[in-house]
Amino acid sequence: MKKFAFIAVAVTALSFAQPAKAQWESIRQEGEIGFTLGAAHYFGDLNTRAALNRPKLAFGAFFRKQFGNYIGLRVAAHFAQLGYSDIYNTHNEYQRRRNLSFNSNIFELALQGDFNFFKFVPGDPDHSFTPYITFGAGIFSYDPYAYLGGQKYFLRTLATEGQGTAAYPDRKPYNTMAVSIPFGVGIKYAINDRMNVGFEVAHRFTNTDYLDDVSKTFVGADKFPPLPDGSPSIAQLLQDRSYETGDIIGIEGRQRGLPKQNDQFVFAELTFSFNLTSYRCPTAK
């Protein structure tokens, strides 16, 4: 009798489970529209030890087209703030004395492929979570600036390393557009069949060494003509600020940056997205 009772319970459970399974299989995730909010951090000539001590605001929006339960293609737009200063380099006396700093606003547009480790079906409690990796390519704009005497000055037009001058014809003015290569990992969880939340960390490799306006060598104070009243120009004062920390170190030819290492940055963000779904009739199988 007990055996027959067990079989009856099992058949009943399966009869409820099959319609539920058919329900999830009939929902097709076409894609997602989402938003991100978090922090950005810069790595480069002013932050050579990859310290994570000056995060700044980052946020964005994205559309992801889903191709099955494992692969997606994402178009993402980001705004972020980046910045750093030599005053944070307490481990390196030369960098502290160099005393350079910068800030920049970043606008990025990227195309990324996302690859889920687990089958992801929003609304299905058995497949509502997955870690994933993301990889792609993008373009971003940047325009570094610094403050002197409380005033904001954009550094590119000042040619702080002699870019575009007759004295350094090999140093061309750098572009304010560059290429980024995002590579990162994340996790996402489907709250229900309509909404997902997640967290992502994606590093950006770039093809520019002038995100911070620092790359090669000092060109010397004499390469910057003084103002009509004989006082130093803004360009001269910002190309070498060691006068604020002691004796001047920015003599011509002395190392100012690391020209063989391009600058990089990273985003760490919470993600919120809304699913775009369609329905298909379950098969007889």
Side-chain angles (χ1 to χ4, degrees):
M1 188 67 181
K2 290 182 179 180
K3 181 177 180 180
F4 287 111
F6 174 78
I7 294 174
V9 171
V11 170
T12 303
L14 286 172
S15 66
F16 282 104
Q18 290 299 325
K21 181 179 180 181
Q23 176 188 353
W24 303 131
E25 290 181 346
S26 68
I27 299 176
R28 180 183 180 89
Q29 186 193 23
E30 299 290 349
E32 300 170 60
I33 294 177
F35 307 92
T36 64
L37 178 64
H41 207 289
Y42 146 88
F43 311 109
D45 302 88
L46 274 63
N47 182 16
T48 57
R49 295 172 64 91
L52 291 169
N53 54 355
R54 288 300 178 273
K56 294 181 178 291
L57 175 68
F59 61 85
F62 66 89
F63 166 74
R64 179 186 287 116
K65 172 61 179 175
Q66 202 67 34
F67 300 95
N69 303 123
Y70 293 93
I71 299 175
L73 186 64
R74 183 196 332 179
V75 177
H78 271 98
F79 168 81
Q81 296 174 321
L82 299 176
Y84 211 75
S85 173
D86 276 337
I87 64 174
Y88 308 134
N89 289 308
T90 56
H91 61 278
N92 188 307
E93 180 62 15
Y94 178 80
Q95 285 185 269
R96 187 194 68 81
R97 286 291 324 285
R98 186 178 58 179
N99 196 36
L100 297 175
S101 65
F102 88 100
N103 287 279
S104 183
N105 292 330
I106 300 293
F107 297 91
E108 181 195 56
L109 183 65
L111 182 66
Q112 297 170 232
D114 299 331
F115 307 91
N116 298 334
F117 284 96
F118 306 149
K119 182 178 181 180
F120 187 70
V121 183
D124 182 349
D126 294 328
H127 301 97
S128 60
F129 168 81
T130 184
Y132 64 89
I133 60 173
T134 183
F135 178 78
I139 56 173
F140 68 95
S141 65
Y142 66 104
D143 200 359
Y145 60 89
Y147 289 93
L148 180 67
Q151 295 294 314
K152 178 180 178 180
Y153 297 97
F154 285 94
L155 299 169
R156 177 178 178 271
T157 56
L158 298 179
T160 56
E161 292 189 356
Q163 305 98 321
T165 64
Y168 288 87
D170 60 317
R171 299 186 184 183
K172 306 300 182 183
Y174 56 86
N175 204 324
T176 56
M177 298 291 294
V179 174
S180 61
I181 305 296
F183 179 76
V185 297
I187 56 173
K188 62 180 180 178
Y189 172 74
I191 300 174
N192 50 45
D193 61 339
R194 296 183 178 182
M195 185 180 298
N196 312 309
V197 295
F199 179 72
E200 178 179 294
V201 177
H203 192 92
R204 265 74 174 170
F205 300 94
T206 79
N207 70 335
T208 181
D209 192 33
Y210 279 109
L211 184 56
D212 46 23
D213 191 62
V214 179
S215 179
K216 294 180 172 60
T217 61
F218 288 101
V219 298
D222 61 319
K223 298 299 188 296
F224 300 91
L227 298 177
D229 62 0
S231 60
S233 66
I234 297 300
Q236 178 182 336
L237 293 173
L238 288 175
Q239 63 92 26
D240 173 24
R241 304 186 68 168
S242 58
Y243 59 86
E244 296 177 325
T245 59
D247 296 333
I248 292 176
I249 64 173
I251 61 175
E252 185 173 4
R254 178 171 286 177
Q255 181 181 4
R256 189 171 189 260
L258 301 172
K260 295 183 179 180
Q261 298 181 14
N262 288 339
D263 299 326
Q264 305 169 32
F265 57 98
V266 65
F267 293 158
E269 300 174 292
L270 295 172
T271 65
F272 310 87
S273 63
F274 299 91
N275 293 311
L276 305 174
T277 57
S278 63
Y279 295 87
R280 60 184 175 184
C281 295
T283 63
K285 298 180 181 180

Short mmCIF file of all heavy atoms in Angstrom, two decimals, residues 228-252:
data_model
loop_
_atom_site.label_atom_id
_atom_site.label_comp_id
_atom_site.label_asym_id
_atom_site.label_seq_id
_atom_site.Cartn_x
_atom_site.Cartn_y
_atom_site.Cartn_z
N PRO A 228 53.97 88.51 -21.57
CA PRO A 228 54.52 89.84 -21.89
C PRO A 228 55.13 90.56 -20.69
O PRO A 228 56.07 91.35 -20.85
CB PRO A 228 53.30 90.59 -22.44
CG PRO A 228 52.44 89.51 -23.03
CD PRO A 228 52.62 88.34 -22.12
N ASP A 229 54.62 90.31 -19.50
CA ASP A 229 55.16 90.98 -18.31
C ASP A 229 56.38 90.24 -17.74
O ASP A 229 56.91 90.62 -16.69
CB ASP A 229 54.09 91.13 -17.24
CG ASP A 229 53.55 89.79 -16.75
OD1 ASP A 229 54.02 88.73 -17.24
OD2 ASP A 229 52.66 89.78 -15.88
N GLY A 230 56.81 89.19 -18.42
CA GLY A 230 57.98 88.44 -17.99
C GLY A 230 57.70 87.30 -17.04
O GLY A 230 58.61 86.52 -16.71
N SER A 231 56.47 87.13 -16.60
CA SER A 231 56.12 86.05 -15.68
C SER A 231 55.96 84.74 -16.44
O SER A 231 55.70 84.73 -17.65
CB SER A 231 54.83 86.38 -14.93
OG SER A 231 53.76 86.57 -15.84
N PRO A 232 56.12 83.59 -15.76
CA PRO A 232 56.00 82.29 -16.44
C PRO A 232 54.60 82.08 -17.00
O PRO A 232 53.60 82.51 -16.42
CB PRO A 232 56.31 81.28 -15.33
CG PRO A 232 57.04 82.06 -14.28
CD PRO A 232 56.49 83.44 -14.35
N SER A 233 54.54 81.42 -18.15
CA SER A 233 53.24 81.10 -18.75
C SER A 233 52.56 79.97 -17.97
O SER A 233 53.21 79.24 -17.20
CB SER A 233 53.42 80.68 -20.20
OG SER A 233 54.14 79.45 -20.27
N ILE A 234 51.27 79.81 -18.19
CA ILE A 234 50.52 78.72 -17.55
C ILE A 234 51.09 77.37 -17.97
O ILE A 234 51.22 76.44 -17.16
CB ILE A 234 49.03 78.81 -17.89
CG1 ILE A 234 48.43 80.11 -17.35
CG2 ILE A 234 48.27 77.61 -17.33
CD1 ILE A 234 48.54 80.27 -15.84
N ALA A 235 51.47 77.25 -19.25
CA ALA A 235 52.04 75.99 -19.74
C ALA A 235 53.32 75.63 -18.99
O ALA A 235 53.53 74.47 -18.61
CB ALA A 235 52.32 76.09 -21.23
N GLN A 236 54.17 76.61 -18.76
CA GLN A 236 55.42 76.34 -18.03
C GLN A 236 55.14 75.93 -16.60
O GLN A 236 55.77 75.00 -16.06
CB GLN A 236 56.32 77.59 -18.03
CG GLN A 236 57.61 77.39 -17.24
CD GLN A 236 58.48 78.63 -17.20
OE1 GLN A 236 58.36 79.49 -18.08
NE2 GLN A 236 59.33 78.73 -16.19
N LEU A 237 54.18 76.59 -15.96
CA LEU A 237 53.88 76.29 -14.57
C LEU A 237 53.25 74.91 -14.39
O LEU A 237 53.42 74.29 -13.34
CB LEU A 237 52.95 77.36 -13.99
CG LEU A 237 53.55 78.77 -13.86
CD1 LEU A 237 52.47 79.77 -13.45
CD2 LEU A 237 54.70 78.78 -12.86
N LEU A 238 52.54 74.43 -15.42
CA LEU A 238 51.87 73.13 -15.31
C LEU A 238 52.69 71.96 -15.86
O LEU A 238 52.40 70.81 -15.54
CB LEU A 238 50.51 73.19 -16.01
CG LEU A 238 49.44 74.02 -15.29
CD1 LEU A 238 48.17 74.12 -16.13
CD2 LEU A 238 49.11 73.44 -13.93
N GLN A 239 53.69 72.22 -16.68
CA GLN A 239 54.48 71.11 -17.22
C GLN A 239 55.44 70.55 -16.18
O GLN A 239 55.85 69.40 -16.27
CB GLN A 239 55.25 71.56 -18.47
CG GLN A 239 56.27 72.67 -18.24
CD GLN A 239 57.68 72.18 -17.94
OE1 GLN A 239 58.05 71.08 -18.35
NE2 GLN A 239 58.44 72.98 -17.23
N ASP A 240 55.80 71.36 -15.20
CA ASP A 240 56.68 70.90 -14.12
C ASP A 240 56.32 71.67 -12.86
O ASP A 240 56.62 72.85 -12.73
CB ASP A 240 58.15 71.14 -14.49
CG ASP A 240 59.08 70.83 -13.32
OD1 ASP A 240 58.69 70.03 -12.43
OD2 ASP A 240 60.19 71.39 -13.28
N ARG A 241 55.68 70.97 -11.91
CA ARG A 241 55.21 71.63 -10.69
C ARG A 241 56.07 71.27 -9.49
O ARG A 241 55.65 71.39 -8.34
CB ARG A 241 53.75 71.28 -10.43
CG ARG A 241 52.85 71.62 -11.60
CD ARG A 241 51.38 71.42 -11.31
NE ARG A 241 50.87 72.36 -10.34
CZ ARG A 241 49.58 72.55 -10.07
NH1 ARG A 241 48.68 71.84 -10.73
NH2 ARG A 241 49.19 73.41 -9.16
N SER A 242 57.29 70.83 -9.76
CA SER A 242 58.19 70.50 -8.65
C SER A 242 58.61 71.73 -7.86
O SER A 242 59.09 71.60 -6.73
CB SER A 242 59.43 69.78 -9.18
OG SER A 242 60.13 70.56 -10.12
N TYR A 243 58.41 72.92 -8.45
CA TYR A 243 58.72 74.14 -7.71
C TYR A 243 57.84 74.31 -6.48
O TYR A 243 58.18 75.06 -5.56
CB TYR A 243 58.57 75.38 -8.62
CG TYR A 243 57.19 75.55 -9.20
CD1 TYR A 243 56.19 76.22 -8.51
CD2 TYR A 243 56.87 75.03 -10.45
CE1 TYR A 243 54.92 76.38 -9.04
CE2 TYR A 243 55.61 75.18 -10.99
CZ TYR A 243 54.63 75.86 -10.28
OH TYR A 243 53.37 75.99 -10.82
N GLU A 244 56.73 73.57 -6.44
CA GLU A 244 55.84 73.63 -5.28
C GLU A 244 56.28 72.70 -4.16
O GLU A 244 55.75 72.78 -3.05
CB GLU A 244 54.40 73.29 -5.70
CG GLU A 244 53.79 74.27 -6.69
CD GLU A 244 52.40 73.86 -7.13
OE1 GLU A 244 52.15 72.64 -7.26
OE2 GLU A 244 51.55 74.75 -7.34
N THR A 245 57.21 71.78 -4.45
CA THR A 245 57.64 70.81 -3.44
C THR A 245 59.13 70.90 -3.12
O THR A 245 59.62 70.14 -2.29
CB THR A 245 57.33 69.37 -3.92
OG1 THR A 245 58.03 69.12 -5.16
CG2 THR A 245 55.84 69.17 -4.12
N GLY A 246 59.84 71.79 -3.79
CA GLY A 246 61.29 71.92 -3.54
C GLY A 246 62.00 72.43 -4.76
O GLY A 246 61.46 73.22 -5.54
N ASP A 247 63.23 71.97 -4.97
CA ASP A 247 64.01 72.38 -6.14
C ASP A 247 63.39 71.82 -7.41
O ASP A 247 62.81 70.73 -7.43
CB ASP A 247 65.45 71.87 -6.01
CG ASP A 247 66.19 72.50 -4.84
OD1 ASP A 247 65.82 73.64 -4.45
OD2 ASP A 247 67.12 71.86 -4.31
N ILE A 248 63.54 72.56 -8.49
CA ILE A 248 62.99 72.16 -9.78
C ILE A 248 63.71 70.91 -10.30
O ILE A 248 64.94 70.85 -10.34
CB ILE A 248 63.10 73.30 -10.80
CG1 ILE A 248 62.16 74.45 -10.38
CG2 ILE A 248 62.76 72.82 -12.21
CD1 ILE A 248 62.27 75.66 -11.27
N ILE A 249 62.93 69.92 -10.71
CA ILE A 249 63.52 68.67 -11.23
C ILE A 249 63.26 68.52 -12.73
O ILE A 249 63.85 67.63 -13.36
CB ILE A 249 62.96 67.44 -10.49
CG1 ILE A 249 61.46 67.30 -10.74
CG2 ILE A 249 63.26 67.53 -9.01
CD1 ILE A 249 60.87 66.02 -10.17
N GLY A 250 62.41 69.35 -13.31
CA GLY A 250 62.00 69.17 -14.70
C GLY A 250 62.96 69.72 -15.72
O GLY A 250 62.58 70.54 -16.56
N ILE A 251 64.18 69.25 -15.72
CA ILE A 251 65.15 69.68 -16.71
C ILE A 251 64.92 68.91 -18.01
O ILE A 251 64.38 67.80 -18.01
CB ILE A 251 66.59 69.50 -16.22
CG1 ILE A 251 66.87 68.02 -15.95
CG2 ILE A 251 66.85 70.33 -14.97
CD1 ILE A 251 68.32 67.74 -15.56
N GLU A 252 65.32 69.49 -19.13
CA GLU A 252 65.08 68.89 -20.43
C GLU A 252 65.72 67.50 -20.53
O GLU A 252 66.88 67.30 -20.17
CB GLU A 252 65.63 69.78 -21.54
CG GLU A 252 65.32 69.28 -22.94
CD GLU A 252 65.73 70.26 -24.01
OE1 GLU A 252 66.34 71.30 -23.68
OE2 GLU A 252 65.44 69.97 -25.20
#
